[in-house]
Amino acid sequence: MRGGPGDAERRQRWGRLFEELDSNKDGRVDVHELRRGLARLGGGGPDRSSQQGISPEDTDPEGGLDLEEFSLYLQEREQRLLLMFHSLDRNQDGHIDALEIQQSFRALGISISLEQAEKILHSMDRDGTMTIDWQEWRDHFLLHSLENVEDVVYFWKHSTVLDIGECLTVPDEFSEQEKQTGMWWKQLVAGAVAGAVSRTGTAPLDRLKVFMQVHASKTNRLDILGGLRSMVREGGVHSLWRGNGINVLKIAPESAIKFMAYEQIKRAIRGQQETLRVQERFVAGSLAGATAQTIIYPMEVLKTRLTLRRTGQYKGLQDCARQILEQEGPRAFYRGYLPNVLGIIPYAGIDLAVYETLKNRWLQQYSHNSADPGILVLLACGTISSTCGQIASYPLALIRTRMQAQGEMEGTTQLSMLALLRHILSQEGVRGLYRGIAPNFMKVIPAVSISYVVYENMKQALGVTSR
């Protein structure tokens, strides 16, 4: 900051603010005083940046900041705010209007109406001009509220918490700060562990789904209880977890490949820009998902074969792979690949579209004071959108599973995707494309609940900081 009258005015203003926040008059401002002061000022508590500004490592053992430290913090804060102000002031006229706020949100993949942009503007506009100048911007954001508009994207990014058995969702966005601090890989690890525990907890329902997809028909009228009884009678209770080992094993390579592919595709689409628009996220996410599925698809085939195996049929994963290779050839490891890749498009597209619709509806109706919707809203939106994606792509998933299992079932003809689709429709009608969807629905809530609890505990164990 430059010296002179402006610098003196700033120091006087910071001094007055320091005195107002220093409630016990000990010459220092700590986190508790800041929180109480901001509540009086209407900020509702310190934001992430305020807490980072007076963290223990930046102060002495007594805690808090003295006037000089407080002034240095505010000086650095004002510099950041000035850069953000200029980035939002697109026509560089020294004022931010409602249209510029709407355009900024749109650039981050968030669609808000002009009316909603005006509401956001009104919360900062003190002189009634329906524009924000630098002073109004600085005074509003100096100590509280959002550090920048991208915090909205942080709260609403599609969380890796939700693992309902299918890994076809668009990958998460990680900020530059998360990449630099290493938080991104910790979040991926936490998500992978959460997915492993969740899949293990719901493995009986997943095996039942696969069992019904392949064996249920109009003639045998195989239902949920009948399927469970049949599996337990054939292999005992522990047989309900058949195929779970490789289902857990494939989480790590699939997540890693998808993340790396997504980052490369994102860079190709938008260069060095950090945030993609919704349509670009769909394209990048679908291509990344297809890349990951292409590489790990043999594991998908092995998972289906091991899930459907009879007692004593295979000695283990290696024996299963060896038998498929010897008896059916290497092409068998990509049986069902086409419907699997095609299934990514309706799954990722509808999942993302429903999530964005629910997110924008919440932002327009309830985001007057905070961009953070709370965990229950996030879990509900994520669960609904993922479930809608699964319903849309389920017929393709069923065809994929049946094609993967064709070599497993003696006396069955090797059918192509279209031939199998025609066969199912002619023999069982449209309902035949949704065999096994009931256990699939049954596992959604327990899978999401287990994922969230494990994810939060893993984040804590790995030291992942939340905003």
Side-chain angles (χ1 to χ4, degrees):
M1 293 274 180
R2 294 185 300 271
D7 191 53
E9 183 274 328
R10 272 192 295 273
R11 289 194 169 275
Q12 286 178 1
R13 176 162 45 82
W14 295 342
R16 287 194 299 271
L17 181 58
F18 183 85
E19 288 178 12
E20 188 174 351
L21 293 174
D22 184 18
S23 56
N24 62 5
K25 305 303 178 189
D26 65 348
R28 305 189 74 79
V29 173
D30 60 25
V31 173
H32 303 294
E33 287 175 321
L34 183 59
R35 186 176 290 117
R36 288 193 297 269
L38 291 178
R40 289 198 306 274
L41 293 170
D47 74 338
R48 168 175 58 91
S49 58
S50 302
Q51 293 181 52
Q52 285 175 348
I54 48 179
S55 61
E57 57 267 25
D58 294 335
T59 62
D60 65 16
E62 301 280 321
L65 300 175
D66 60 23
L67 177 58
E68 187 61 29
E69 292 167 329
F70 187 69
S71 298
L72 285 172
Y73 162 67
L74 291 184
Q75 180 176 321
E76 181 189 340
R77 177 83 169 147
E78 282 196 13
Q79 287 172 335
R80 290 202 306 269
L81 286 172
L82 186 60
L83 290 173
M84 283 186 272
F85 180 82
H86 287 315
S87 71
L88 287 174
D89 181 18
R90 293 177 173 240
N91 59 8
Q92 301 300 310
D93 65 350
H95 294 83
I96 297 171
D97 57 29
L99 186 60
E100 286 172 322
I101 289 176
Q102 186 187 41
Q103 289 170 344
S104 297
F105 271 76
R106 190 172 294 152
L108 296 172
I110 299 170
S111 175
I112 66 170
S113 65
L114 197 59
E115 182 186 3
Q116 179 66 12
E118 287 171 355
K119 285 181 183 177
I120 295 170
L121 187 75
H122 184 68
S123 69
M124 293 180 266
D125 180 27
R126 294 183 308 181
D127 55 13
T129 59
M130 286 309 289
T131 61
I132 310 162
D133 61 20
W134 159 240
Q135 267 193 320
E136 289 171 319
W137 172 268
R138 177 200 65 202
D139 293 345
H140 185 83
F141 286 106
L142 191 59
L143 287 173
H144 58 78
S145 194
L146 296 176
E147 181 173 356
N148 58 47
V149 181
E150 290 192 17
D151 276 0
V152 176
V153 174
Y154 171 85
F155 287 124
W156 281 95
K157 75 176 185 178
H158 216 337
S159 179
T160 50
V161 169
L162 304 176
D163 187 308
I164 55 176
E166 296 286 346
C167 198
L168 302 179
T169 52
V170 174
D172 268 349
E173 295 276 352
F174 292 105
S175 68
E176 205 57 44
Q177 184 182 3
E178 286 172 318
K179 291 173 188 172
Q180 289 171 359
T181 57
M183 287 299 165
W184 66 272
W185 70 262
K186 291 182 180 180
Q187 289 186 47
L188 285 178
V189 169
V193 173
V197 176
S198 169
R199 292 185 186 193
T200 301
T202 58
L205 288 170
D206 187 69
R207 187 180 184 223
L208 178 61
K209 177 196 75 174
V210 174
F211 191 80
M212 291 179 71
Q213 283 178 332
V214 174
H215 296 298
S217 66
K218 258 185 179 179
T219 53
N220 63 25
R221 297 186 177 278
L222 185 68
D223 58 10
I224 292 172
L225 288 176
L228 285 171
R229 276 197 296 266
S230 177
M231 290 189 296
V232 171
R233 193 184 306 121
E234 193 278 329
V237 174
H238 70 277
S239 70
L240 297 177
W241 275 265
R242 280 179 186 167
N244 180 61
I246 191 165
N247 196 30
V248 167
L249 194 64
K250 69 186 178 74
I251 292 175
E254 185 169 12
S255 300
I257 294 165
K258 188 193 285 189
F259 171 72
M260 290 186 289
Y262 183 69
E263 288 297 308
Q264 294 299 318
I265 296 164
K266 185 173 78 169
R267 197 169 291 117
I269 292 175
R270 292 295 297 274
Q272 294 302 313
Q273 294 186 49
E274 182 66 23
T275 310
L276 298 179
R277 290 192 293 268
V278 175
Q279 303 93 320
E280 292 169 332
R281 283 196 67 211
F282 166 63
V283 172
S286 297
L287 290 173
T291 302
Q293 283 291 308
T294 301
I295 295 170
I296 64 102
Y297 192 75
M299 297 180 78
E300 295 280 0
V301 174
L302 288 168
K303 182 248 178 184
T304 298
R305 295 293 182 92
L306 289 167
T307 299
L308 294 169
R309 76 183 187 272
R310 298 177 300 279
T311 302
Q313 184 176 0
Y314 303 121
K315 295 175 184 176
L317 177 62
Q318 285 185 323
D319 185 51
C320 177
R322 183 184 57 78
Q323 286 194 39
I324 293 172
L325 189 62
E326 288 177 356
Q327 296 170 18
E328 303 171 54
R331 289 185 63 182
F333 288 107
Y334 279 87
R335 197 169 284 148
Y337 172 76
L338 182 58
N340 185 66
V341 171
L342 290 176
I344 293 172
I345 297 171
Y347 189 108
I350 290 174
D351 177 35
L352 198 58
V354 171
Y355 193 80
E356 291 297 316
T357 301
L358 295 172
K359 176 185 76 175
N360 287 324
R361 183 65 59 87
W362 187 93
L363 283 169
Q364 288 175 15
Q365 293 188 6
Y366 304 108
S367 65
H368 307 297
N369 301 316
S370 171
D372 185 359
I375 190 60
L376 288 178
V377 174
L378 286 175
L379 287 178
C381 291
T383 303
I384 292 167
S385 64
S386 296
T387 303
C388 289
Q390 278 203 346
I391 293 170
S393 64
Y394 194 83
L396 285 165
L398 181 137
I399 291 169
R400 173 203 67 195
T401 303
R402 287 204 178 181
M403 289 180 73
Q404 289 172 342
Q406 280 179 346
E408 179 84 9
M409 301 167 68
E410 295 176 7
T412 57
T413 309
Q414 304 292 321
L415 298 176
S416 67
M417 181 181 76
L418 290 176
L420 188 55
L421 175 62
R422 284 195 293 266
H423 174 76
I424 293 170
L425 289 173
S426 64
Q427 297 295 314
E428 305 176 53
V430 175
R431 287 187 64 183
L433 296 173
Y434 287 89
R435 299 285 181 197
I437 201 167
N440 194 58
F441 284 154
M442 288 169 64
K443 73 174 184 171
V444 169
I445 292 177
V448 169
S449 304
I450 294 168
S451 290
Y452 173 66
V453 171
V454 176
Y455 182 76
E456 287 301 308
N457 280 282
M458 280 302 299
K459 275 198 339 184
Q460 203 170 13
L462 292 169
V464 176
T465 55
S466 299
R467 300 193 195 196

